[in-house]
Amino acid sequence: MNRMLFLGTVLTIAVASMAIAAPTPRPDLLVSTDWLAQHGNDPKVVVLQVSRDTKVYDAGHIPGSRFLSLGDITSTKNGILNELPPVADLKAAFERAGVSDDTRVILVADVSPVFTSRAFFTLDYLGHDQTAMLDGGLPKWKAESRPMETAKPEAKMGRLTPHPRPEIVATKDSVAATAKSGSALLLDARPEADHKGTLAANTEIPRPGHIPGSVNLFWQQGQVNKDDMSLLSETQLRKLYEQVGVKSDKPVITYCNTGMQASQSYFTLKYLGYDVKMYDGSFSEWSEAKDTEVQK
């Protein structure tokens, strides 16, 4: 009996260990400047610099890279900024940029990684699994004195077949249910002051604070520093997120104000291998709703 009890205990511990083991990371979601220098001219690689305007792109960009406007992949719905447009509009925007079903898309940040991570989330929503971010973005490429150009390459029209994944997009109702049940971890990607609700109310956020039960981890803490967009190491990132309660056996829903900052946390957690989705309407929608509770 004692031997059986011992074996049973060992088996229980082993099963428990398997259940809480760290998820398998996705290194394919991040490429280095060295990788891009070697593969940037590959016919099946499309490099997209994503930003609000072309100012930085026009001044100089990675040879062969194309510009993708944030405005082409976001829309305003019911007064909420940066929402997902209709699938047909997204398909057209990415096809104009040269994206096809068989192309690997490399997203390049210039002034902020949240623009590229928003593009990543959008392509993930469309079911395009061959997307990665350039670690460190354009600033790192420049710092390494790599080639630049101002000529704008002609983008051959792509052919993209969307396979929408609505399951990665959380809604107000699903978030409300999660807040009550605790079935997923709600992660607020905004700065601490936003989460605490110490900022003044405004038209975008009429009720400052956070979604009940959510934890806070500012997305920028996942990069080397404010000026260096490079991600921390996998070990550092995992420790950072585990400290706020992220676990491999529990889904995570990220949110911010309008689904921009949260997309960077979404990307990082996806890169680390966690089960994650994003609340696109985020706190702008939650704060304006009449049937939601806000905590400070």
Side-chain angles (χ1 to χ4, degrees):
M1 287 294 293
N2 289 340
R3 178 178 174 79
M4 292 179 63
L5 180 60
F6 172 76
L7 290 175
T9 301
V10 170
L11 179 60
T12 300
I13 293 175
V15 171
S17 297
M18 291 175 61
I20 61 175
T24 304
R26 293 281 309 276
D28 58 302
L29 300 186
L30 198 67
V31 300
S32 66
T33 49
D34 284 339
W35 185 96
L36 186 56
Q38 295 173 22
H39 299 276
N41 292 324
D42 291 358
K44 295 300 183 181
V45 172
V46 173
V47 183
L48 299 179
Q49 185 170 321
V50 189
S51 198
R52 291 192 183 278
D53 58 60
T54 63
K55 183 178 180 180
V56 176
Y57 180 83
D58 291 342
H61 48 265
I62 296 172
S65 63
R66 305 158 188 175
F67 179 78
L68 177 66
S69 172
L70 182 68
D72 287 342
I73 59 171
T74 58
S75 63
T76 299
K77 294 181 182 178
N78 301 319
I80 307 301
L81 303 175
N82 303 321
E83 297 292 277
L84 282 168
V87 170
D89 293 350
L90 292 172
K91 167 182 164 71
F94 283 110
E95 285 184 336
R96 286 195 301 271
V99 178
S100 295
D101 294 338
D102 60 349
T103 54
R104 187 171 191 203
V105 181
I106 307 301
L107 302 170
V108 179
D110 52 25
V111 298
S112 175
V114 302
F115 302 148
T116 48
S117 57
R118 179 69 199 202
F120 174 88
F121 168 77
T122 306
L123 282 166
D124 204 27
Y125 166 70
L126 292 177
H128 189 77
D129 291 322
Q130 301 180 69
T131 308
M133 301 254 275
L134 176 63
D135 194 24
L138 187 64
K140 184 175 182 181
W141 182 274
K142 287 181 177 180
E144 294 170 347
S145 300
R146 296 184 183 272
M148 299 282 288
E149 69 176 12
T150 55
K152 299 178 182 179
E154 291 187 16
K156 181 181 178 181
M157 194 73 174
R159 297 188 65 179
L160 182 64
T161 307
H163 300 283
R165 295 168 171 164
E167 65 273 12
I168 71 168
V169 185
T171 64
K172 179 172 70 69
D173 290 342
S174 66
V175 169
T178 298
K180 290 182 179 180
S181 67
S183 57
L185 181 72
L186 297 175
L187 179 67
D188 186 344
R190 301 174 299 167
E192 185 179 24
D194 294 68
H195 181 76
K196 288 185 173 181
T198 56
L199 301 180
N202 55 59
T203 54
E204 185 181 294
I205 306 296
R207 293 186 293 158
H210 59 266
I211 298 174
S214 62
V215 298
N216 179 224
L217 180 62
F218 182 34
W219 67 269
Q220 204 172 78
Q221 290 182 247
Q223 63 185 45
V224 173
N225 56 54
K226 184 178 179 180
D227 300 315
D228 188 341
M229 299 179 189
S230 304
L231 284 181
L232 297 175
S233 70
E234 179 197 329
T235 301
Q236 290 173 311
L237 288 171
R238 201 174 296 284
K239 181 178 179 181
L240 190 66
Y241 280 93
E242 287 178 348
Q243 286 175 343
V244 296
V246 173
K247 300 178 180 178
S248 60
D249 60 346
K250 192 172 188 177
V252 183
I253 299 175
T254 67
Y255 78 91
C256 54
N257 281 338
T258 64
M260 292 296 297
Q261 299 175 85
S263 67
Q264 178 67 6
S265 298
Y266 175 89
F267 168 79
T268 305
L269 288 166
K270 192 95 175 181
Y271 166 71
L272 292 173
Y274 291 102
D275 179 5
V276 58
K277 61 180 64 177
M278 190 177 82
Y279 177 20
D280 197 20
S282 277
F283 202 67
S284 287
E285 180 183 47
W286 186 272
S287 179
E288 290 182 2
K290 304 299 182 184
D291 59 345
T292 57
E293 179 186 353
V294 170
Q295 285 185 346
K296 290 191 176 182

